[in-house]
Amino acid sequence: MGDTFQTIADPDASPQDSARLAQRVVEWLVQEGIVLAEPEPGWALGERDLSHPPGPHWHKAVANARWGSPGGVVVHTERRVFYTLGDPGPATVTCPRCRKRAEVENDLQERFWAACEAWHATGHADLDCPACAAPVPLPAWTWTDDAFAFAHLGFEFWNWPALSADFRSRTADFLECHRTAFLMGKI
């Protein structure tokens, strides 16, 4: 069996804006009846994470509702490396400056992991593009299949049926049309 998660992360939200944007999205989710207003323990994978239990209209967020209700929604408003679990194949990234794609392997992979550790520790890290050699902030890179997101804001849906594309798009609207990443996995 196992537990599944789907995360909508906002790599463009600043540390100063993440709480405000999170509140805006949660208020919308509560108004729509998708989640309940008060977070509680026990609705996500770990007891330490408070999460919003599903509301009476949780099915508005999914492509195909199934029987039973899903788990909760954890709202993260701190620096976090979000990632997809599974083996989607070699990760590729696109440089936001020159638009060239590169596979994360060999030297780039070593530099990526070093930058990832630096970003997690400090909130700042650049990765030089292998094509144009420009230093690019780690959150600015675009990952194929949203393998990673370096963000200060994310909404983690535990054990929900597949979130609909329309729901994910409407969520982005409440995030001031920031770029979003959609990550998922199974534990």
Side-chain angles (χ1 to χ4, degrees), residues 21-138:
L21 292 171
Q23 180 180 355
R24 188 175 178 187
V25 171
V26 169
E27 286 173 355
W28 166 64
L29 294 174
V30 169
Q31 182 180 16
E32 291 287 320
I34 295 170
V35 300
L36 300 181
E38 295 302 317
E40 301 175 6
W43 285 94
L45 182 62
E47 287 295 321
R48 66 183 178 94
D49 287 328
L50 293 178
S51 60
H52 293 271
H57 302 294
W58 62 267
H59 60 276
K60 289 180 174 182
V62 302
N64 185 15
R66 57 169 165 67
W67 60 270
S69 67
V73 178
V74 179
V75 180
H76 298 282
T77 57
E78 73 287 342
R79 181 174 55 246
R80 187 175 182 92
V81 179
F82 295 97
Y83 53 90
T84 294
L85 287 178
D87 185 17
T92 60
V93 295
T94 301
C95 175
R97 296 186 184 193
C98 71
R99 310 307 298 163
K100 300 276 185 180
R101 293 176 77 172
E103 281 196 14
V104 180
E105 60 184 5
N106 304 325
D107 177 53
L108 182 58
Q109 187 171 22
E110 290 175 25
R111 291 185 295 125
F112 163 71
W113 287 117
C116 183
E117 288 176 16
W119 189 88
H120 188 264
T122 67
H124 302 285
D126 289 343
L127 183 62
D128 292 346
C129 175
C132 69
V136 178
L138 203 50

